[in-house]
Short mmCIF file of all heavy atoms in Angstrom, two decimals:
data_model
loop_
_atom_site.label_atom_id
_atom_site.label_comp_id
_atom_site.label_asym_id
_atom_site.label_seq_id
_atom_site.Cartn_x
_atom_site.Cartn_y
_atom_site.Cartn_z
N GLY A 517 115.97 69.94 72.34
CA GLY A 517 116.79 69.59 73.52
C GLY A 517 116.11 68.68 74.45
O GLY A 517 116.70 67.75 75.06
N TRP A 518 114.77 68.88 74.61
CA TRP A 518 114.00 67.96 75.52
C TRP A 518 114.02 66.57 75.01
O TRP A 518 114.14 65.59 75.77
CB TRP A 518 112.53 68.49 75.66
CG TRP A 518 112.42 69.62 76.64
CD1 TRP A 518 112.21 70.90 76.40
CD2 TRP A 518 112.50 69.49 78.10
NE1 TRP A 518 112.19 71.63 77.59
CE2 TRP A 518 112.35 70.76 78.67
CE3 TRP A 518 112.73 68.41 78.98
CZ2 TRP A 518 112.41 71.04 79.98
CZ3 TRP A 518 112.76 68.66 80.35
CH2 TRP A 518 112.60 69.97 80.86
N GLU A 519 113.85 66.39 73.69
CA GLU A 519 113.89 65.06 73.12
C GLU A 519 115.26 64.41 73.32
O GLU A 519 115.37 63.22 73.66
CB GLU A 519 113.55 65.07 71.62
CG GLU A 519 113.41 63.69 71.01
CD GLU A 519 114.71 63.00 70.66
OE1 GLU A 519 115.69 63.72 70.31
OE2 GLU A 519 114.81 61.76 70.74
N LYS A 520 116.32 65.20 73.18
CA LYS A 520 117.68 64.65 73.31
C LYS A 520 117.91 64.19 74.76
O LYS A 520 118.44 63.11 74.99
CB LYS A 520 118.73 65.75 73.00
CG LYS A 520 118.81 66.09 71.48
CD LYS A 520 119.37 64.95 70.64
CE LYS A 520 119.62 65.30 69.21
NZ LYS A 520 119.80 64.13 68.36
N ILE A 521 117.48 64.94 75.76
CA ILE A 521 117.70 64.55 77.10
C ILE A 521 116.83 63.35 77.51
O ILE A 521 117.25 62.44 78.26
CB ILE A 521 117.56 65.74 78.11
CG1 ILE A 521 118.43 65.52 79.36
CG2 ILE A 521 116.10 66.03 78.44
CD1 ILE A 521 118.70 66.75 80.18
N TYR A 522 115.67 63.32 76.93
CA TYR A 522 114.78 62.11 77.11
C TYR A 522 115.44 60.85 76.55
O TYR A 522 115.54 59.83 77.21
CB TYR A 522 113.41 62.37 76.46
CG TYR A 522 112.61 61.12 76.26
CD1 TYR A 522 111.85 60.64 77.31
CD2 TYR A 522 112.55 60.48 75.04
CE1 TYR A 522 111.08 59.49 77.15
CE2 TYR A 522 111.80 59.33 74.89
CZ TYR A 522 111.06 58.83 75.94
OH TYR A 522 110.32 57.70 75.74
N THR A 523 115.99 60.97 75.32
CA THR A 523 116.59 59.78 74.74
C THR A 523 117.91 59.41 75.41
O THR A 523 118.22 58.22 75.50
CB THR A 523 116.77 59.96 73.20
OG1 THR A 523 115.50 60.18 72.64
CG2 THR A 523 117.38 58.72 72.53
N GLU A 524 118.64 60.39 75.93
CA GLU A 524 119.79 60.05 76.75
C GLU A 524 119.40 59.12 77.90
O GLU A 524 120.04 58.12 78.20
CB GLU A 524 120.43 61.34 77.32
CG GLU A 524 121.22 62.15 76.37
CD GLU A 524 122.04 63.21 77.06
OE1 GLU A 524 122.01 63.31 78.29
OE2 GLU A 524 122.71 64.00 76.35
N LYS A 525 118.28 59.52 78.56
CA LYS A 525 117.83 58.69 79.70
C LYS A 525 117.40 57.30 79.26
O LYS A 525 117.68 56.33 79.91
CB LYS A 525 116.62 59.39 80.37
CG LYS A 525 116.98 60.40 81.47
CD LYS A 525 117.37 59.69 82.75
CE LYS A 525 118.02 60.67 83.72
NZ LYS A 525 119.02 60.03 84.55
N MET A 526 116.71 57.27 78.06
CA MET A 526 116.29 55.98 77.52
C MET A 526 117.52 55.09 77.31
O MET A 526 117.49 53.91 77.61
CB MET A 526 115.56 56.17 76.19
CG MET A 526 114.17 56.73 76.33
SD MET A 526 113.03 55.56 77.01
CE MET A 526 112.79 54.48 75.60
N CYS A 527 118.57 55.66 76.80
CA CYS A 527 119.82 54.90 76.56
C CYS A 527 120.38 54.36 77.88
O CYS A 527 120.77 53.18 77.96
CB CYS A 527 120.89 55.77 75.85
SG CYS A 527 120.52 56.12 74.15
N GLN A 528 120.31 55.20 78.89
CA GLN A 528 120.85 54.80 80.22
C GLN A 528 119.94 53.67 80.77
O GLN A 528 120.48 52.68 81.37
CB GLN A 528 120.95 55.96 81.14
CG GLN A 528 122.08 56.87 80.69
CD GLN A 528 122.15 58.22 81.40
OE1 GLN A 528 121.10 58.85 81.65
NE2 GLN A 528 123.34 58.64 81.80
N TYR A 529 118.65 53.73 80.58
CA TYR A 529 117.74 52.68 81.11
C TYR A 529 117.98 51.40 80.30
O TYR A 529 117.97 50.29 80.85
CB TYR A 529 116.31 53.14 81.01
CG TYR A 529 115.96 54.24 82.00
CD1 TYR A 529 115.09 55.24 81.64
CD2 TYR A 529 116.53 54.30 83.25
CE1 TYR A 529 114.75 56.27 82.51
CE2 TYR A 529 116.18 55.33 84.13
CZ TYR A 529 115.34 56.33 83.75
OH TYR A 529 115.04 57.35 84.58
N TYR A 530 118.14 51.48 78.95
CA TYR A 530 118.36 50.28 78.15
C TYR A 530 119.69 49.63 78.55
O TYR A 530 119.83 48.43 78.55
CB TYR A 530 118.31 50.61 76.65
CG TYR A 530 116.96 50.48 76.03
CD1 TYR A 530 115.87 51.29 76.44
CD2 TYR A 530 116.71 49.55 75.03
CE1 TYR A 530 114.63 51.14 75.88
CE2 TYR A 530 115.45 49.41 74.47
CZ TYR A 530 114.42 50.22 74.88
OH TYR A 530 113.16 50.03 74.34
N HIS A 531 120.64 50.46 78.93
CA HIS A 531 121.94 49.94 79.39
C HIS A 531 121.75 49.20 80.71
O HIS A 531 122.21 48.05 80.88
CB HIS A 531 122.94 51.06 79.53
CG HIS A 531 124.24 50.63 80.11
ND1 HIS A 531 125.04 49.70 79.51
CD2 HIS A 531 124.89 51.01 81.23
CE1 HIS A 531 126.13 49.51 80.23
NE2 HIS A 531 126.05 50.26 81.31
N ALA A 532 121.04 49.87 81.64
CA ALA A 532 120.92 49.30 83.01
C ALA A 532 120.02 48.05 83.00
O ALA A 532 120.30 47.06 83.71
CB ALA A 532 120.34 50.31 83.94
N GLU A 533 118.92 48.06 82.25
CA GLU A 533 117.92 47.03 82.37
C GLU A 533 117.98 45.96 81.31
O GLU A 533 117.53 44.82 81.51
CB GLU A 533 116.53 47.65 82.40
CG GLU A 533 116.36 48.51 83.64
CD GLU A 533 115.09 49.39 83.66
OE1 GLU A 533 114.12 49.08 82.88
OE2 GLU A 533 115.10 50.38 84.36
N TYR A 534 118.57 46.26 80.12
CA TYR A 534 118.65 45.30 79.03
C TYR A 534 120.13 44.99 78.63
O TYR A 534 120.34 44.30 77.66
CB TYR A 534 117.91 45.77 77.80
CG TYR A 534 116.45 46.10 78.03
CD1 TYR A 534 115.90 47.27 77.59
CD2 TYR A 534 115.63 45.18 78.70
CE1 TYR A 534 114.59 47.58 77.76
CE2 TYR A 534 114.26 45.47 78.90
CZ TYR A 534 113.76 46.70 78.46
OH TYR A 534 112.44 46.97 78.67
N ALA A 535 121.04 45.57 79.36
CA ALA A 535 122.52 45.35 79.10
C ALA A 535 122.91 45.75 77.72
O ALA A 535 123.89 45.22 77.14
CB ALA A 535 122.89 43.89 79.38
N LEU A 536 122.15 46.71 77.11
CA LEU A 536 122.59 47.28 75.81
C LEU A 536 123.79 48.18 76.12
O LEU A 536 123.70 49.05 76.98
CB LEU A 536 121.44 48.04 75.17
CG LEU A 536 121.69 48.61 73.77
CD1 LEU A 536 121.91 47.46 72.74
CD2 LEU A 536 120.50 49.44 73.29
N ASP A 537 124.90 47.95 75.38
CA ASP A 537 126.16 48.65 75.72
C ASP A 537 126.14 50.04 74.97
O ASP A 537 126.63 50.19 73.85
CB ASP A 537 127.31 47.84 75.20
CG ASP A 537 128.61 48.36 75.70
OD1 ASP A 537 128.64 49.26 76.53
OD2 ASP A 537 129.70 47.84 75.24
N THR A 538 125.52 51.02 75.63
CA THR A 538 125.23 52.32 74.99
C THR A 538 126.37 53.35 75.22
O THR A 538 127.13 53.28 76.16
CB THR A 538 123.92 52.94 75.57
OG1 THR A 538 124.00 52.82 76.99
CG2 THR A 538 122.74 52.18 75.05
#
Side-chain angles (χ1 to χ4, degrees):
W518 279 106
E519 187 280 328
K520 289 291 187 195
I521 206 161
Y522 164 80
T523 300
E524 285 191 2
K525 273 282 170 214
M526 288 288 287
C527 288
Q528 289 170 317
Y529 292 142
Y530 268 63
H531 175 60
E533 294 170 20
Y534 302 132
L536 184 63
D537 190 10
T538 48

